[in-house]
DNA sequence: TTTATACTTCGATTATAACCGAAGTTTTCA
DNA sequence: TGAAAACTTCGGTTATAATCGAAGTATAAA
């Protein structure tokens, strides 16, 4: 024994459902304060505080202090990848009825992931941005090209304002249902807000999202996106 | 909630140190009987039996019955990958003796990861494939180039047969000791089998692997690999 | 300096599950 | 048919840790 790092220590940290709920919330890549994480996990602040201390101790998350505020985020993208890899072998949510099935399908097709778009639509959109030359893929982030600057400006999204927000701008986020990256960060959020605003998409229960008729036309004309079955 | 697979369920299965010891033993790819797994984990047969039932129930391992014998093995290479990925973020084992150190070094240099090569050798080999233009790195998988098709064919590896297997073909697998990717999937397995077959490498205890003299020459001449200290 | 906010620490309770002894089941072999 | 081998199930014990109320600490604003 002892010739390998002990993976069960990490597994133990992820095994508790409250801690798992917090980690899942932090997959959104934005730093979140303890009280919000407690709320997401449906536990008291005291309990959350204990859990967060363990996660920090185990190097799964780290904390940034700003005065009396403390923002928690994942310690590295390796942690996100570990969670993603466990998700691949985790049992799918049980499907006991046609209703369960169609709800899950809806979520696979398009959903919000924290505050941006994920699922097939999220990935298609992100890949269209890259295809059209508006985004380039970096190691951890997407980069907005000169063409992209113009495109998002024409789309009424103020990039400078987004860059000044104290959060990631154009983060890459791995999609569990598509196994590909989609756009997260403040730009991902701005795109989601804009599409909702334009009524190209509508929110459904369970963080699912549907594309409207107007949306289908708009997505095709502006980005050439066609194959969203809905 | 509940629209995402629950990774904490899998984490819980891996969190117990006895179960972790059994899973680690099963990373060796050989099917093992319950009594041997109990011995590896230092627990009674009754306790082991309970753990094994849970691992089967959770789809991490599966059991093959031959009369009164039952051999357990990992359910899929995804399970091996999940364990490896958790190992990346797990704390390093404490080294208390020269013996500990040299055993760890052997495993770092070259080992098998389920059914393919990992460690420094696994990464060097994979990077040589990329360097020579035989593989390209994709999002989740490696892609075999036209040059690669020819190379693997000359190496007596039948890519079409591998692609037709009901499993991943050229998976990227993150290496816990090198923190870089190596080649997994059916192609990764075929490469391992081929190298063993050519006697370029030999299996050591603890899933470590050593490069033979012939192997050193072969790896240099075919791929320009030099810097494996052994 | 006082008060409010945001979080941590302590202590007691409770739920979970790991553990093994003992007894039971299934299959093989003599 | 009986005995041995290989494993599973049951039951009771024990250890771990998740939980929250209450009290404590640190920072900021009034």
């Amino acid at each position: 024994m002892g010739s390998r790092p002990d993976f069960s220590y990490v597994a133990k940290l992820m095994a508790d459902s409250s801690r798992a709920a917090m980690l899942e919330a932090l997959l959104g890549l934005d730093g979140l304060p303890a009280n919000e994480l407690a709320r997401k996990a449906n536990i008291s602040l005291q309990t959350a505080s204990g859990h967060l201390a363990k996660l920090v101790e185990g190097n799964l998350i780290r904390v940034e202090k700003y005065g009396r505020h403390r923002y928690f985020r994942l310690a590295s993208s390796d942690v996100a990848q570990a969670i993603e890899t466990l998700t691949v072998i985790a049992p799918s949510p049980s499907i006991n009825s046609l209703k369960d099935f169609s709800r899950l399908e809806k979520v696979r097709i398009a959903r919000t992931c924290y505050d941006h778009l994920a699922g097939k639509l999220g990935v298609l959109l992100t890949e269209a941005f890259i295809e059209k030359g508006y985004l380039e893929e970096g190691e951890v982030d997407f980069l907005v090209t000169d063409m992209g600057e113009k495109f998002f400006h024409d789309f009424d999204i103020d990039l400078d304002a987004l860059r000044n927000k104290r959060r990631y701008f154009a983060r890459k986020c791995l999609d569990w249902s598509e196994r590909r990256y989609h756009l997260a960060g403040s730009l991902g959020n701005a795109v989601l807000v804009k599409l909702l605003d334009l009524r190209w998409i509508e929110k459904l229960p369970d963080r699912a999202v549907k594309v409207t008729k107007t949306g289908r036309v708009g997505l095709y004309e502006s980005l050439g996106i066609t194959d969203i079955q809905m």
Side-chain angles (χ1 to χ4, degrees), chain A residues 196-226:
Chain A
L196 284 168
D197 200 48
L198 286 169
R199 299 195 187 280
W200 285 14
I201 58 176
E202 277 169 12
K203 287 197 181 187
L204 298 177
D206 257 324
R207 299 212 312 281
V209 160
K210 77 174 259 211
V211 178
T212 61
K213 278 186 189 167
T214 332
R216 212 153 1 194
V217 175
L219 287 171
Y220 175 68
E221 292 186 345
S222 59
L223 291 160
I225 294 171
T226 51

Side-chain angles (χ1 to χ4, degrees), chain A residues 3-230:
Chain A
S3 54
R4 285 173 69 102
D6 174 22
F7 69 89
S8 77
Y9 171 78
V10 179
K12 206 167 221 159
L13 287 173
M14 296 184 171
D16 177 77
S17 60
S18 301
R19 282 194 296 262
M22 295 181 176
L23 288 170
E24 195 172 319
L26 291 173
L27 274 180
L29 290 172
D30 298 297
L32 295 174
N35 68 55
E36 192 155 342
L37 290 168
R39 203 176 46 73
K40 296 246 183 201
N42 283 307
I43 52 177
S44 72
L45 189 57
Q46 306 93 285
T47 305
S49 177
H51 283 313
L52 290 168
K54 285 181 190 179
L55 291 172
V56 169
E57 162 74 23
N59 253 299
L60 294 195
I61 64 175
R62 68 200 144 74
V63 59
E64 282 157 23
K65 295 185 191 183
Y66 298 101
R68 66 179 151 180
H69 296 274
R70 315 181 99 212
Y71 295 100
F72 294 90
R73 46 180 92 241
L74 295 189
S76 70
S77 61
D78 287 341
V79 177
Q81 172 139 24
I83 293 172
E84 170 69 16
T85 316
L86 284 182
T87 305
V88 171
I89 55 172
S92 306
S94 64
I95 295 173
N96 298 317
S97 64
L98 188 59
K99 201 174 157 191
D100 286 350
F101 176 75
S102 70
R103 191 180 52 175
L104 185 59
E105 266 309 289
K106 281 205 181 85
V107 169
R108 279 186 191 284
I109 289 171
R111 66 180 177 280
T112 55
C113 167
Y114 187 53
D115 69 349
H116 56 271
L117 272 175
K120 189 161 188 181
L121 179 59
V123 171
L124 278 176
L125 206 59
T126 304
E127 291 185 346
F129 289 147
I130 294 170
E131 175 86 11
K132 293 273 175 183
Y134 303 149
L135 290 183
E136 276 170 13
E137 195 171 340
E139 196 73 26
V140 236
D141 290 310
F142 292 106
L143 306 167
V144 180
T145 61
D146 290 345
M147 278 170 69
E149 294 280 340
K150 183 174 180 328
F151 172 80
F152 288 114
H153 176 82
D154 291 350
F155 225 75
D156 219 21
I157 288 174
D158 181 353
L159 297 181
D160 292 329
L162 295 178
R163 273 191 258 254
N164 285 334
K165 286 194 181 176
R166 260 207 59 265
R167 58 174 290 199
Y168 291 106
F169 170 61
R171 233 354 160 38
K172 282 164 69 174
C173 182
L174 190 55
D175 206 286
W176 60 263
S177 52
E178 295 289 310
R179 291 171 172 246
R180 277 138 81 200
Y181 287 99
H182 60 250
L183 176 66
S186 61
L187 180 56
N189 175 240
V191 169
L192 169 63
V193 169
K194 192 72 205 170
L195 294 184
L196 284 168
D197 200 48
L198 286 169
R199 299 195 187 280
W200 285 14
I201 58 176
E202 277 169 12
K203 287 197 181 187
L204 298 177
D206 257 324
R207 299 212 312 281
V209 160
K210 77 174 259 211
V211 178
T212 61
K213 278 186 189 167
T214 332
R216 212 153 1 194
V217 175
L219 287 171
Y220 175 68
E221 292 186 345
S222 59
L223 291 160
I225 294 171
T226 51
D227 46 351
I228 317 153
Q229 319 96 313
M230 248 166 297

